[in-house]
Amino acid sequence: MKLFVTNRFYYSATALTIGFAASYFFPVLLIPVKLTFFAFMALLAADLLLLFITGGEVSCERELPERFSNGDDNAVVLRITNRYSFGLDVEVLDELPPQFQMRNLAIVLTVARGETRLASYSVRPTTRGEYNFGHANLLVITKIALVNKRFKAAQEQTVKVYPSFLHLRKYELIAFSQQQSIEGQRKLRKIGHSMEFDHIKEYTPGDDPRHLNWQASARRGHLMINHYIDEKSQPIYNVIDKSRPMKMPFEGMTLLDYAINASLAISDIALKKGDRAGLVTFQHKPDTIVPAQKGTKQMYVLMESLYHEKTAFTEHNFGMLYAQITAKITSRSLLLLYTNFESLYSLERQLKYLKLLNRKHLVLVIIFRNTELDGLITKGAGDLREVYHQAIAQNMLNEKFAILQLLRQHGILNLYTTPQSLTADVVNKYLELKSRRAI
């Protein structure tokens, strides 16, 4: 059905009904009420004539990006064109994918005769996969505003949600900048020097005198110095745990999705710094493995692999992970292991495999901080039940600290971070390890 009546129609009809009822007791009101009724019917007929007889049309085209970025705000643009010979008020009701659970998105705007207006809104997906947009329903209203006409426009469209790629440029600038001043980043002081020789150049004030090349200086008759660059072509693997603990949600996104977004960002930076980026995923058995490679094409390979990753309600098996990495990765690599241990016992069961991995590679275990526990601990307790909850939360937090301490005791690097700041902290840790020549 294309015809709908507005609130103004109901208000007017209600007022006329009350008027006719009042004229029964006050006959003097009958003639003014009748005149008002005829005026109302004339306006209604004019409104119907303008909308349905004049033959005008309002169209809408939806402009979607080629793909959405998971966990980020993505813009959707609607291009609305009025082909009536007069201006209209248009209310746009877009049929959003069911994943967003949004039923009240309405955009109201005025479109002049023959004009094309742009309307936009943003959506934030929290899961990867395909999102199906339906039609855009346009309710057009004249200045009389007694009825409106519905147009069904904008064809059904499907867009894929990929791991977060909108912020890749942001983290790339951070990684290649000398000033780590963006909010959420800590300033990184480079220590040590890379030992990969590049070329010999003339000494200039400020160069490190420890790198003076005395033989070249004697031949040239003035000071010459060795120039070194950051060592490149080092294999960097993002090792992602897809087991049950990674299903835990924070702000609508699971820990797995946070890990995938961080993996994409660190892979992009590693490739641009000349390193090789790879991927390993596992749960109760080995899963995806993408060998570390260089080049722009590798980013597309990693993005497609990360797009299809899903968590499962199974326990992680670090023994199978160790066997897979030992068989597939022969050169010493940096393994960024995204996982989550909720108890000291769960870590102790897997510790021997982490120690074996750490002998052959440089392992960085990334453990997530439960921000909801922090909020519960800092919240004031109003009754005995809340005191009990706080005691449990504090005990769980102490368990996390014991896990970190046990890893440090066995010489395993670890990073304890919140899901929201995961990408920033992993980028900083990677830069720190590069500057220390730990890789």
Side-chain angles (χ1 to χ4, degrees):
M1 183 177 180
K2 295 184 177 181
L3 173 64
F4 299 90
V5 296
T6 64
N7 290 336
R8 181 178 292 184
F9 176 90
Y10 288 113
Y11 296 151
S12 301
T14 301
L16 286 172
T17 302
I18 294 174
F20 278 114
S23 66
Y24 179 80
F25 301 98
F26 305 97
V28 68
L29 297 177
L30 182 60
I31 294 178
V33 171
K34 283 185 177 182
L35 293 175
T36 303
F37 172 75
F38 291 133
F40 171 74
M41 294 303 296
L43 290 173
L44 179 61
D47 207 5
L48 292 172
L49 178 66
L50 290 173
L51 287 177
F52 292 89
I53 307 301
T54 55
E57 183 185 12
V58 177
S59 62
C60 175
E61 296 179 359
R62 185 193 297 113
E63 298 178 1
L64 293 174
E66 181 181 355
R67 56 195 175 196
F68 278 168
S69 178
N70 191 27
D72 301 320
D73 290 328
N74 299 265
V76 178
V77 178
L78 300 174
R79 187 181 298 271
I80 301 153
T81 303
N82 178 15
R83 295 187 176 88
Y84 277 92
S85 58
F86 48 87
L88 292 167
D89 292 330
V90 181
E91 182 177 4
V92 185
L93 305 172
D94 202 4
E95 296 177 358
L96 297 179
Q99 290 95 327
F100 293 123
Q101 292 298 303
M102 295 174 62
R103 303 289 186 269
N104 58 350
L105 177 64
I107 302 174
V108 180
L109 67 163
T110 300
V111 187
R113 178 184 62 182
E115 182 186 17
T116 298
R117 291 282 306 274
L118 296 179
S120 64
Y121 61 91
S122 62
V123 291
R124 179 180 178 267
T126 56
T127 57
R128 287 162 289 112
E130 292 187 349
Y131 284 56
N132 299 313
F133 285 80
H135 295 280
N137 297 284
L138 310 177
L139 299 179
V140 298
I141 309 172
T142 67
K143 298 302 180 183
I144 301 175
L146 290 177
V147 296
N148 56 38
K149 183 178 180 180
R150 188 191 71 174
F151 291 91
K152 180 174 286 190
Q155 298 299 317
E156 296 181 354
Q157 293 173 276
T158 299
V159 61
K160 292 184 177 181
V161 177
Y162 276 77
S164 177
F165 56 84
L166 289 181
H167 290 166
L168 292 184
R169 180 62 178 169
K170 165 189 169 184
Y171 292 111
E172 178 185 340
L173 291 174
I174 294 172
F176 288 89
S177 173
Q178 296 297 323
Q179 299 294 331
Q180 306 290 322
S181 57
I182 296 181
E183 183 179 358
Q185 315 299 315
R186 62 178 181 274
K187 291 186 178 180
L188 182 62
R189 179 175 64 89
K190 290 201 170 216
I191 58 177
H193 300 272
S194 172
M195 299 307 293
E196 184 171 330
F197 175 78
D198 187 35
H199 64 277
I200 301 174
K201 68 182 187 72
E202 292 186 6
Y203 174 82
T204 57
D207 288 336
D208 192 341
R210 293 176 297 178
H211 294 160
L212 285 172
N213 189 320
W214 296 108
Q215 293 180 350
S217 301
R219 288 194 301 266
R220 293 293 185 91
H222 53 268
L223 293 177
M224 303 293 291
I225 192 169
N226 293 333
H227 183 257
Y228 297 91
I229 60 174
D230 287 338
E231 190 175 351
K232 298 180 179 180
S233 297
Q234 297 169 316
I236 312 296
Y237 280 90
N238 289 285
V239 184
I240 303 177
D241 182 0
K242 301 193 303 178
S243 61
R244 184 173 62 247
M246 299 296 284
K247 187 70 174 177
M248 186 181 299
F250 286 91
E251 296 185 358
M253 289 178 57
T254 64
L255 294 181
L256 176 63
D257 282 309
Y258 281 109
I260 286 175
N261 290 347
S263 299
L264 190 65
I266 199 66
S267 297
D268 180 61
I269 292 171
L271 290 171
K272 287 184 169 60
K273 279 188 167 290
D275 288 332
R276 293 176 288 149
L279 173 69
V280 176
T281 65
F282 73 102
Q283 38 190 325
H284 62 286
K285 61 180 181 178
D287 204 337
T288 305
I289 181 164
V290 179
Q293 299 290 341
K294 298 173 63 176
T296 306
K297 183 180 178 181
Q298 183 71 353
M299 272 302 294
Y300 294 101
V301 175
L302 292 172
M303 185 175 291
E304 287 296 330
S305 298
L306 292 170
Y307 170 74
H308 295 96
E309 298 297 340
K310 294 182 180 179
T311 186
F313 293 95
T314 56
E315 289 292 337
H316 46 211
N317 189 332
F318 280 80
M320 297 294 292
L321 173 66
Y322 170 71
Q324 181 188 37
I325 291 179
T326 302
K328 301 292 185 179
I329 304 175
T330 56
S331 59
R332 179 175 170 82
S333 308
L334 170 61
L335 305 181
L336 302 174
L337 174 57
Y338 303 85
T339 186
N340 204 33
F341 296 107
E342 290 298 335
S343 67
L344 194 59
Y345 173 70
S346 63
L347 172 61
E348 290 172 344
R349 290 173 56 195
Q350 313 295 344
L351 185 59
K352 59 180 179 181
Y353 302 113
L354 291 175
K355 290 165 61 178
L356 291 173
L357 279 174
N358 200 47
R359 290 178 185 175
K360 297 183 178 181
H361 306 278
L362 179 62
V363 179
L364 174 64
V365 180
I366 302 165
I367 299 178
F368 294 89
R369 185 184 187 102
N370 193 329
T371 53
E372 295 183 4
L373 286 182
D374 295 340
L376 185 60
I377 292 172
T378 57
K379 177 184 175 182
D383 53 30
L384 186 60
R385 179 187 293 271
E386 292 183 356
V387 172
Y388 179 69
H389 289 167
Q390 284 190 351
I392 296 177
Q394 186 63 56
N395 184 63
M396 295 175 66
L397 187 60
N398 293 338
E399 192 92 354
K400 284 282 188 178
F401 291 143
I403 290 171
L404 299 174
Q405 182 63 30
L406 183 59
L407 288 172
R408 284 192 289 267
Q409 287 177 1
H410 292 277
I412 301 174
L413 297 177
N414 58 79
L415 177 63
Y416 187 44
T417 181
T418 62
Q420 296 82 354
S421 59
L422 171 65
T423 303
D425 289 343
V426 172
V427 169
N428 272 303
K429 194 66 177 179
Y430 164 72
L431 296 176
E432 178 187 343
L433 294 174
K434 288 283 288 184
S435 67
R436 288 166 43 193
R437 293 185 286 120
I439 305 173

